[in-house]
Every structure is written in structure tokens, then in C-alpha cells.
Amino acid sequence: MILTKAQYEEIAQCLVSVPPTRQSLRKLKQRFPSQSQATLLSIFSQEYQKHIKRTHAKHHTPEAIESYYQRYLSGVGKNGAAPVLLELANEVDYAPSLMARIILERFLQGHEQTPPSKSVINSMLRDPSQIPDGVLANQVYQCIVNDCCYGPLVDCIKHAIGYEHEVLLRDLLLKKNLSFLGSDQAWSSIGMDLSRNWTATGKGASCSKPLSQQTLSPYATAQLDPEGPGREAGSNVTFLQYKLLATSALNFS
């Protein structure tokens, strides 16, 4: 079913009044049964990320951080097993995983007297068992598994989906005997020489881009072959467009 702009705006408006939980997604599906769950989840994620970006700064003021931390301590002091952090995140309308990061960073700073490194925090968020406080570890874990848009669990899901798409594309290219350079090979080349140009060739498409530390992907831009169907030489496309073009090139083999 094609989603109209009016339908998108209706769904987006509905999201304003619901917390970012799986229960809200179920309610959204009940209200818009004609839309697929993937469509609703995509809109949910986009709109929620816009909201988080707009409100991010106010949650990171020293006053807000100290207020959240004291409320966390008060909550777990009454009942350490209750989802204190998760409920706090939902109450102030902030992503649970990001709230967990705020409290974890404040906790570590209080115990070590120095700001913890980002790598340490990321490692503890990925594996809460590393957190030296059992109650906080459980609170962080609850936030991570109940966050639909942020956190290490969501990142793993995104990476898994991206890898699955790459595998499908690779199998199609192999089946059609089209030459290509896999992402693992490309990143290996980057590691050996960041200044080298990365090149991939296939029927109707080729890629070339000087690489740097800031390059997000070896497929960052693509330049189409002048003989490629329906395109002019020198036109640049994104990584996603390149993947789509590489897939569509199968029709011309």
C-alpha cells in the first residue's frame, strides 16, 4: 500500500502522544491496521530520532544530570528491582538507552573522581555485567532491551540487517559473474593504506574515491560507467544508490 503524505502526517501526529515503547507500537498497529509493521516502525524511528535531537541539550545540563541521578538513587533506594531508570526515561520523554548512559557516566564519575572514557562507557552499555554495581547493571540492562530506537541492541540489529543485504547482493553478483570488491576486502585495503583509492567494477558501474579517516564507507560515492544504461558519465550517487544500481545491473547481463 502506498503511503500518502497525509497518512504519514497522521501517523506522526499520533506518535507525539505516546511513549517510545513496544506497547506503543502495538497500539499504533491497531490504529493503522492497513500499514505494515515495518512502515510504522520506520516512521516511529524517524520521528522519535527527530524529537531526541531537538531535546538532547536540555537533558545534558549539569542541573538535569544531577536531578536524574538523585531521582535514580531515591528510586532504587526504595526498590532496587523496580524499573526506575526506564520509568524515569519515559517520564521525561528521553530514550532509555541514552538515559542509562547519563546515569552510568555520572555514577562512574562519582566513584572514580574523573570523567570516564567513552570507550569504557560503551563497553559497559554493550555488556552491563561489567558495571561494578549490580543494581545499576540491572537498571541499564532494562533500558537497553526496552529501547526501540537507540542503544547497542538496536545497533546490532541494524548491522545485522545491513550485513544480510550485502550477502544477498553478493550472491546475486556472483550468480551473474559480475566482478566486485566485498566490504570486508575494501575495509582491509583501507586499513593497509588510507590514502589509496578504492575501486570496484561491475557491468554498468564502477567506484573510485580517495579515502580518509572521515570516510564513512568505501562505497561513499559511485561513478557510473559512461556506457551504463540510462545515466551520464560522472554522476555521483550515494552508497545506497550504488547498491540499488548494482542490483539493477543484473537485468542487463
Side-chain angles (χ1 to χ4, degrees), residues 3 10 19 63-64 68 92 103 145 181 184 196 209 212 253:
L3 184 70
E10 183 182 2
E63 296 79 13
Y68 295 156
V92 300
I103 300 303
V145 299
L181 185 63
D184 53 344
R196 130 194 295 175
K209 169 98 177 155
S212 67
S253 59

Side-chain angles (χ1 to χ4, degrees), residues 101-122 124:
R101 175 182 285 273
I102 289 176
I103 300 303
L104 176 60
E105 185 172 357
R106 174 63 180 82
F107 168 82
L108 294 175
Q109 185 174 353
H111 281 67
E112 300 176 6
Q113 303 302 318
T114 56
S117 67
K118 185 177 294 186
S119 61
V120 169
I121 295 174
N122 290 339
M124 289 184 176

